[in-house]
Amino acid sequence: MSGSHDLPDEIILEIVEFATPIYPLTGNRIGYEELRNLRLVSKRFHDLLSPLLFSTLRLRFRDPNFSESETAAADYIRSQGIVKALATGTTTVFLHTKRLYLDTTILLPLEDKKDILSTRTFVSDNIYNAICGLKNLRTVNWFSNLTPDTVELGTKINHALGTLSSFQGFEDLHFDSSLTFHPRPSFTLKSFTNLTIFRIHWEWRRPKHLIREIASLLSRCPELTEFSLRYCPSSQRKHITLREIFAEIGHLERPWKLQKLELKSVEISPDDFRAYIHHLKHLTFLQILKCPSPRAATACGGIWNILQQRDIAQIRGRI
């Protein structure tokens, strides 16, 4: 009787991907442990399944004393070990990694948490070489708190990502809402060009420097297909406008083929939307939430009319 080893590689992979799907909300692969055990069956299975097992990498630096969970402690140690292995080049399995989930929010300068201070120093010393070792990385979900003490770490991460020719963009660049700090002027997006996806989310303060950085970045991304900006202001008087965000896209040699646009708490008028409509002709998804304009309902109605006039009203989303 023939066994699984007699099946073509394509059939085995199709069966495995069907049996261990990726949960869309978290990016976790269901049946990960079973897949890891199957990889140990033979060299053929090792070679076939390694790209699936290591396609996503999670680095979460959680203080084991912060949680009594054994998982938190194991995660804490595992993440440091992976960073060290990548930085020193002692592993090649992460050449299969295409998506990175990076959480540096716990690396705060707490006086009574010497272990966290030690970990922050370790990560800062090794993170640049570690990320440079992810040669085929495409996207990042990064949860950060850019305090004055951790901005150097953020700068190193950005510079490393900027060296990767495979890097396509941020699926989520999220600044922690529990802090009142905002990105310092030393934090820059100048390392990046030609991104195809850029999604950013922050709360509380209106970071003027970061808005200028975003506007400049967009002008360097002619192939951008997905853009999302979500902002939860601490004051209704501190608005971000579409004109500020799109201030420099006029420098592009040709219009975008943007397919997905999401804006939250961004002031936008029909005139603003019309001014950039040549960049939005390929939209398939549009979401405008909590528009701070005093005439938001009228503005959204005007935007919908513009879409209809341009024959691009067959889109999904919410305005």
Side-chain angles (χ1 to χ4, degrees), residues 169-182:
F170 292 93
E171 291 183 325
D172 195 3
L173 177 57
H174 189 145
F175 296 113
D176 188 6
S177 62
S178 65
L179 301 172
T180 57
F181 299 107
H182 59 84

Side-chain angles (χ1 to χ4, degrees), residues 9-175:
D9 291 352
E10 295 79 6
I11 299 299
I12 293 176
L13 286 175
E14 189 170 338
I15 293 172
V16 170
E17 290 184 353
F18 177 81
T20 60
I22 294 177
Y23 190 57
L25 295 180
T26 63
N28 292 329
R29 185 173 290 278
I30 300 171
Y32 180 84
E33 290 300 322
E34 291 79 0
L35 193 60
R36 189 167 66 173
N37 292 334
L38 184 60
R39 173 173 167 262
L40 302 177
V41 168
S42 66
K43 184 180 185 304
R44 183 190 180 200
F45 274 31
H46 173 279
D47 295 341
L48 275 177
L49 302 182
S50 288
L52 295 180
L53 272 171
F54 299 103
S55 62
T56 298
L57 173 61
R58 296 179 183 275
L59 296 177
R60 292 173 291 193
F61 301 96
R62 303 291 179 88
D63 179 10
N65 298 315
F66 188 75
S67 170
E68 296 180 358
S69 167
E70 293 183 4
T71 302
D75 212 30
Y76 183 74
I77 297 171
R78 180 191 64 86
S79 294
Q80 292 183 71
I82 291 174
V83 167
K84 186 66 174 180
L86 281 167
T88 57
T90 56
T91 181
T92 59
V93 295
F94 297 108
L95 290 176
H96 301 294
T97 299
K98 295 180 173 61
R99 174 183 289 173
L100 171 64
Y101 287 86
L102 179 62
D103 187 345
T104 58
T105 55
I106 198 63
L107 300 178
L108 288 169
L110 304 178
E111 294 181 0
D112 59 338
K113 294 289 185 180
K114 293 182 179 180
D115 198 26
I116 291 180
L117 291 171
S118 175
T119 301
R120 193 182 70 202
T121 300
F122 168 83
V123 174
S124 183
D125 289 344
N126 291 277
I127 196 67
Y128 179 85
N129 288 333
I131 290 181
C132 287
L134 299 173
K135 301 294 187 182
N136 296 300
L137 186 67
R138 295 180 183 175
T139 60
V140 171
N141 291 259
W142 180 17
F143 295 83
S144 175
N145 46 17
L146 291 176
T147 70
D149 299 274
T150 60
V151 71
E152 180 183 356
L153 173 64
T155 300
K156 289 180 178 179
I157 292 171
N158 274 353
H159 286 171
L161 290 172
T163 68
L164 300 176
S165 60
S166 61
F167 186 61
Q168 297 176 359
F170 292 93
E171 291 183 325
D172 195 3
L173 177 57
H174 189 145
F175 296 113

